[in-house]
Amino acid sequence: MSTVNTSMAEETAAPRANTLRSFNVSARFWVALVIVAGVILMSLAGFVYPTGPAEKVGSLYDPPGNGLLMGTDNFGHDVIAVLMAGTRTSLIIGLVAGIVATTIGVGVGLLAGYVGGWFEELLMGVTNVVLAIPAIVVLILISMSLPNSTIWSLAIVIGITSWPWTARAVRAQASSVATREHIDVARLSGVRLPGILLKDVLPYILSYAVMAFVLQVAGAILAEAALSMLGLGPSGVNSLGTQLHWALAFQAVASGAWWAFLPPTLVLTLVSFGFLLLQASLDEVFNPRLRRGKRKQMKQAAARREEEARLLAEQAVAPGAPAGPGAGGTHEHPERSEAGDPV
Amino acid sequence: MKLGRYIARKSIWYLVALVAAVSLNFLLPRLVPGNPVDVIVSNLSRGGSVTSEQQQKVYESYVAEFGLDQPLWQQFFTYLGKVFTGDLGTSFAYYPASVNELVGQALPWSIAIQLPAILVGWILGNIIGAIAAFRGGNWDRSVFTTSLFLSAMPYYCLSIILLYVFAVAVGFFPVGGAYSLGLTPELSISFLWDALSYYWLPFLSLVIVFIGGQAVGMRSMAIYELGGDYVNYARAMGIRDNKITQYIFRNAMLPQITGLALAIGTLVGGALITELVFSYPGVGTLLFNAIAANDYPVIQAITLIITVAVLVANFAVEIVYGIVDPRIRAAQSGEK
C-alpha cells in the first residue's frame, strides 16, 4: 500500500522540516555568516602565508605588483601579511572583550533582576553611573595609565568599560522572568540561588545574551581601532587599528598609497557590518514581530498549512471523526528585546 | 512619583556620576607607576627640543598646579577647585599656553563640523526610516540594508574612503586641514568661502553615517508601533489611515528626539578620528597631538569636557522625559 508509506514518510519528515522552518533564518543571516566566516578565515590564513608581518620585503609604499598583491606599507612590510596578523589581533581583542563584557553584564543583570530590593538599586545605581560616563573617556584614561599595553590588557579594559548596557537590558528581562511560576517551584524545591539563576532564569535570556555578545565583539573591535588610531594601541603588535594609525601617520592617504589604508578600512567595515547584520538576523529569528516583507515565505507557509489541513480533513473523513484545526501560526515572543547600542 | 522628587532623584544620580567621572579623571593618570612628573619631564627631555630651564618651569608649574607635594586628598581638592573656577591648567607641549586657550581654539571647529551634520542627518534619517517602515516591501528591504551598512560602517572608515576618492583620486576637494595655508581664521567672506571647500568632505562623511543610524532606528520604532494594539483598535474604529499614521509617527518620534539630544551631548567626542583623518583642527586632532606628546593637562581637560557634555545631555533628556511623559516618572520608582 503505497499511500500508507508516503503518509508515514511525511509524518517522520514533517517535524524536522518544521523545526527548521520555525527557526526561520533569513538570507540576511547567511550573508552575515559568510562575511564573518570570511574575515575569520582570512585572519587564520596568516599562519600559512609565506611572508611574516614583520618581514621587510620592500621600501616605503611599494605599489602592488612584483609578487606582492597589495604592495608594502610604510615599514616596507607586506600589506597582506600585516592585514592578516592585524585582523587576528583585532578578532582576539573583540572576542576577549566581548566575553568579559557579556559575562559581567549578564551576571550583574541577572543578580539585580532576580534578587531585587536594595541590592538591585545598588547594582543598577553603579551600572547607571558607569553608563553615564562615556566609555571612550575611560578607555583613553586607562590606556594612558598603562605603561605597556598588551592586546590582553587592552581587551580586558575594553570589556570592563562596555558591560553596563548589557547589564541594564538583561536586568529588565531577568526581573520579568523572576515572577514566573517555575521560579517559585524551583525555589520551593530548595534550589540555591546560583542554580536558579543558571538553570531557570538564564535560559530565558540566553538568546538576548547571544545577541548582546555579538554586538559587544563588534563594538570592541571598533573601540580598539579608535584607540589605536589615537595612538593608544597595543605596543609592538599589529592590529587593524595600528595598521590604520601608521598609514595615517605616514600620509598614505595624501600620497595616494591606497593599498596601505584601504585593506584595513574595508576589513573593519566588513567586520562591523557582518556582526551587526548577524545580530539583526538573530533578532528576527528570536523576535517574530520584526519579520516582515517576506511575502513569499508567508505564502509558502499558508500553502503548507492549507495542505496540512486538507490532509487532516481527508484523514478525518476516512475514519469519520471530526478534524481539529491545524496548529499553525507563529508564536509571538511576550517581550520585545530591549536592544541597546554600544557603538 | 511627584515631579520634584523625580528631578531630585535624577540630580543625585547624575551628581554621583559626575563625581565618579571627575575622580577617575584625577586618579587614573596618577596611577602611572613612578612619579608622573618625572615620567613627563623625562619624556620631554627625550624629545630634545626642550631646554632644561623650560623643564624646570614645567616641573614647577605642575607641582604648583596640582600641589604634588601635598597628600593625595589635598591634591584632589586643589584639582577640584581649579576645575570649578574654569582653570584647566597649563599645557606641557606648548608650554606657556594655557589649556583653556588650546581647547578654546579647537572647540569651535569641532562644533562647526558636527552640529550641522547631526541636525541634517537626523532630519533626513528620520524621513527615510519612516518612509521605509510605512511602504515596506522591496523599498524597505533595500533602505534597511543600505542604512544598516552605513550605520555599521565605522565613521572613520567612511572618512578615509571619501577622502581618498574625492580628494586624492578625483581631486575635487582639498586633501586636509580646515582652510588654505597662509590664511588666518577670521570672519570674512573670503575666509569662510575658503573654509567651506575644506568643510564638505568631513561634513559628508559624518552626515552619511548619521543618516544611516537614524533611519535604522526610526524604521524599527515605526514598525514596532505599526504592530501596536492601538493601531488595530484605531483601524477597527474606522479611523482614516492618515490619522493613524500621525499617531504612529508621534509615538515613534519620541525615542528619536532622545537620540538627537544624546547625539548633541556626544558632539565634542563624537568624531575624534574624523578630525584626525582630515587633519581638521578640532578637539580630536588636539587630543591626538596631546597623547603623542604626553600632554596630560590637555588630555585631562578634553576627557573632562567630553564627560561633562555627555552627562549634561543625558540629564537634560531624563528631566524633559520626566516632564513630558508621566508614565516614566511612575515606572521609575527606583533607578531601574
Side-chain angles (χ1 to χ4, degrees), chain A residues 2-15:
Chain A
S2 60
T3 44
V4 171
N5 276 342
T6 48
S7 75
M8 272 178 69
E10 258 178 22
E11 262 178 34
T12 48

Side-chain angles (χ1 to χ4, degrees), chain A residues 128 145 222 253 258 272 277 336, chain B residues 28 152 156 164 168 224 335:
Chain A
N128 283 328
S145 319
L222 297 188
V253 186
W258 55 266
S272 169
L277 202 63
R336 183 169 168 269
Chain B
L28 283 175
Y156 39 84
Y164 176 66
V168 179
Y224 179 69
E335 187 55 35

Side-chain angles (χ1 to χ4, degrees), chain B residues 59-95:
Chain B
Y59 191 95
E60 277 165 11
S61 83
Y62 196 81
V63 169
E65 236 163 65
F66 298 111
L68 285 178
D69 39 356
Q70 295 162 344
L72 203 63
W73 62 269
Q74 220 164 339
Q75 288 178 37
F76 183 61
F77 285 109
T78 317
Y79 171 79
L80 276 187
K82 291 263 183 192
V83 164
F84 278 105
T85 50
D87 178 7
L88 296 172
T90 312
S91 160
F92 292 149
Y94 308 92
Y95 171 60

